[in-house]
Amino acid sequence: MQILLLTIAGLAFLMIVLEDVFHINKAKTTLFLGTLAWLLLFLFPQHGLNSQDIQEQLNENILEIASLWLFLMAAMTFVAFLNHQGLIETMIYKVLPQRLGERKLMFLVAGFAFFFSSLSDNITATLISIALVLSLKLDARKTRRFAVLVVFAVNSGGVALITGDVTTLMIFMQEKVAIDDLLWLSLPSLVSVLLLAGMLSMPLKGEVVIHPTPRRDDKVGMVIGLIFLLTILSTIVLNVIAGVPPLLTFLFGLSIMFLVGRLCYKDDERENLLDYIRVIEFDTLLFFLGILLLVGMLKEIGVLNSLVQIYDVLPTTGANFVMGLLSSLVDNVPLTAALLKSNIAMDTASWLTLTYAVGVGGSLLVVGSAAGIVAMSKVKEITFISFMRYSLYILIAYSVGFAGSYLVGHTLH
């Protein structure tokens, strides 16, 4: 049965890779195979388990998935409204000059995605950064390069702060690293992002002319934009001081957005803010659901725990590097959880390198991180194969960042 379940997971991965060949939406195949895997777990339970045990496992996984779904729904609804109002483009036009070189633009986008992801979660940072890239209306090849950079920059930006990446928070909560140690990780992370921006910008030689587009003056839209910003900031502050989950803060912010819209747009038949929930891309949510069901199944049958055995074969630093590579295939949250539960003996310097590895390594494949999945759902030019064409560049940048995290860790300790 375990072999069959592993085959199902492999088939799901293959269908994602070959989406352009079979022309079957990846959301459909992953949802089918993810639910099939759990049906088989119920019909043919592992030794020593009964249906109640499997139900508890499924409930645990569904809770994690539902939290992600609802958070995504709230964030995507905010972004859908801001895009419709043209507020994101307006912000860009005020910051950027009307004409600038594509190479310079590449570095500006890298910096924006990196620093914004340090302040917000990776999903929101990706949604905003991708909206920025798409508003520039570049050709398909250039848009793809910018989107690849956004994925890597977003994952790199959150790795040094407990508010920016879940795995960083998990490692910190287990007292493996301190906040001041983590902050130093921002240096090699930023260097690796700038390195990737330099490599991706090499063939770019043109200039981008930004033409501001007129939009209606909507003060209510500006107020809702401010609500979105305050929601992000509140998410960070409340999570740090009181442990409030980001989902709760974002749903609260979304409720305020709906109430403001109801009060201010009551005489305007053009606007019903609840309609923006209908325009978000549910393909993305279904794809997340299928992927996380498959990852949860792999966790329950013990496949993720068996990955920890790599520390018995390789030196700690080498094993940490490989764990980063594996995080591009397996969700980094259960992977990190398995490492923490295994009680592997590592010093602070090694935990710092692992923090960087599992936080950034998922960028190597488009399905390896939430940022990559969001980018693939938003940018039609991004597919599994097209993203892989830049994997060598990403691997070089990841390796440099990993080496930098090693130097930082051993310099501090």
Side-chain angles (χ1 to χ4, degrees):
M1 178 52 59
Q2 191 174 52
I3 295 176
L4 176 59
L5 292 173
L6 287 172
T7 302
I8 290 174
L11 179 60
F13 183 78
L14 185 64
M15 293 302 292
I16 295 171
V17 174
L18 300 178
E19 180 185 15
D20 291 339
V21 177
F22 294 109
H23 301 292
I24 303 177
N25 189 293
K26 56 186 175 292
K28 298 176 182 178
T29 55
T30 52
L31 182 61
F32 169 74
L33 294 169
T35 50
L36 174 62
W38 278 96
L39 283 171
L40 292 174
L41 282 177
F42 273 96
L43 294 173
F44 306 98
Q46 292 181 284
H47 179 69
L49 297 179
N50 54 41
S51 59
Q52 184 177 355
D53 296 327
I54 300 173
Q55 180 66 58
E56 291 177 357
Q57 294 175 349
L58 179 61
N59 289 343
E60 181 182 348
N61 281 276
I62 290 296
L63 177 61
E64 296 177 358
I65 295 170
S67 297
L68 179 59
W69 253 59
L70 292 172
F71 181 89
L72 267 175
M73 180 205 69
M76 293 170 75
T77 303
F78 266 117
V79 173
F81 175 81
L82 295 176
N83 279 336
H84 174 75
Q85 296 292 326
L87 295 175
I88 294 177
E89 290 188 27
T90 301
M91 179 186 68
I92 295 170
Y93 297 149
K94 289 183 177 180
V95 174
L96 298 178
Q98 290 189 352
R99 181 184 296 270
L100 74 164
E102 292 173 341
R103 290 183 177 178
K104 183 178 180 180
L105 179 63
M106 180 75 76
F107 284 95
L108 289 175
V109 169
F112 174 82
F114 180 87
F115 289 108
F116 191 73
S117 66
S118 298
L119 298 175
S120 69
D121 65 280
N122 287 359
I123 294 173
T124 304
T126 306
L127 287 169
I128 297 296
S129 300
I130 290 297
L132 186 157
V133 170
L134 293 177
S135 71
L136 298 173
K137 296 179 175 59
L138 302 169
D139 64 48
R141 180 178 57 85
K142 294 175 182 177
T143 298
R144 188 161 49 240
R145 285 179 174 266
F146 276 88
V148 169
L149 178 63
V150 164
V151 172
F152 187 81
V154 164
N155 286 331
S156 298
V159 76
L161 291 174
I162 59 175
T163 55
D165 193 278
V166 176
T167 53
T168 300
L169 177 62
M170 292 169 62
I171 295 172
F172 168 77
M173 293 297 291
Q174 292 293 320
E175 299 182 350
K176 303 298 184 182
V177 293
I179 287 182
D180 54 341
D181 291 330
L182 287 171
L183 290 176
W184 284 101
L185 277 183
S186 60
L187 294 178
S189 297
L190 180 58
V191 169
S192 64
V193 170
L194 295 177
L195 173 61
L196 181 61
M199 290 188 291
L200 292 176
S201 67
M202 285 190 293
L204 303 180
K205 298 178 181 178
E207 283 191 336
V208 176
V209 179
I210 299 176
H211 301 285
T213 55
R215 68 174 184 87
R216 60 173 176 162
D217 186 19
D218 189 350
K219 293 182 179 180
V220 180
M222 296 296 293
V223 170
I224 293 177
L226 179 61
I227 292 172
F228 183 48
L229 177 61
L230 291 175
T231 299
I232 294 173
L233 296 177
S234 299
T235 298
I236 299 169
V237 174
L238 293 178
N239 183 262
V240 171
I241 67 175
V244 177
L247 166 64
L248 184 59
T249 312
F250 255 82
L251 288 178
F252 181 69
L254 187 66
S255 68
I256 296 175
M257 169 184 168
F258 289 150
L259 290 174
V260 169
R262 177 67 182 87
L263 293 173
C264 299
Y265 285 132
K266 60 183 178 180
D267 296 325
D268 188 346
E269 296 181 355
R270 296 174 300 176
E271 293 289 0
N272 180 359
L273 297 192
L274 281 173
D275 289 339
Y276 288 98
I277 292 181
R278 301 185 181 98
V279 302
I280 63 178
E281 297 180 7
F282 280 89
D283 280 5
T284 302
L285 298 177
L286 292 174
F287 182 43
F288 266 116
L289 175 58
I291 284 289
L292 293 177
L293 282 173
L294 287 166
V295 171
M297 175 272 294
L298 293 175
K299 175 185 175 183
E300 301 304 340
I301 65 175
V303 171
L304 299 186
N305 292 330
S306 64
L307 295 176
V308 177
Q309 296 176 3
I310 194 172
Y311 285 86
D312 298 329
V313 179
L314 296 175
T316 300
T317 302
N320 285 344
F321 183 86
V322 173
M323 279 296 167
L325 302 181
L326 289 175
S327 70
S328 65
L329 294 171
V330 179
D331 186 84
N332 60 355
V333 173
L335 186 63
T336 303
L339 289 169
L340 291 170
K341 291 177 182 178
S342 66
N343 295 317
I344 296 174
M346 289 196 295
D347 56 22
T348 302
S350 296
W351 280 109
L352 281 173
T353 60
L354 178 66
T355 302
Y356 177 85
V358 295
V360 182
S363 307
L364 287 162
L365 296 176
V366 72
V367 297
S369 66
I373 294 174
V374 170
M376 183 164 56
S377 69
K378 291 292 183 181
V379 183
K380 63 181 180 180
E381 292 83 5
I382 291 289
T383 63
F384 187 92
I385 298 297
S386 67
F387 193 93
M388 276 194 69
R389 295 171 186 166
Y390 303 93
S391 290
L392 178 59
Y393 293 143
I394 298 173
L395 178 60
I396 294 172
Y398 164 75
S399 301
V400 170
F402 183 87
S405 69
Y406 177 87
L407 292 175
V408 165
H410 284 79
T411 300
L412 295 176
H413 300 276

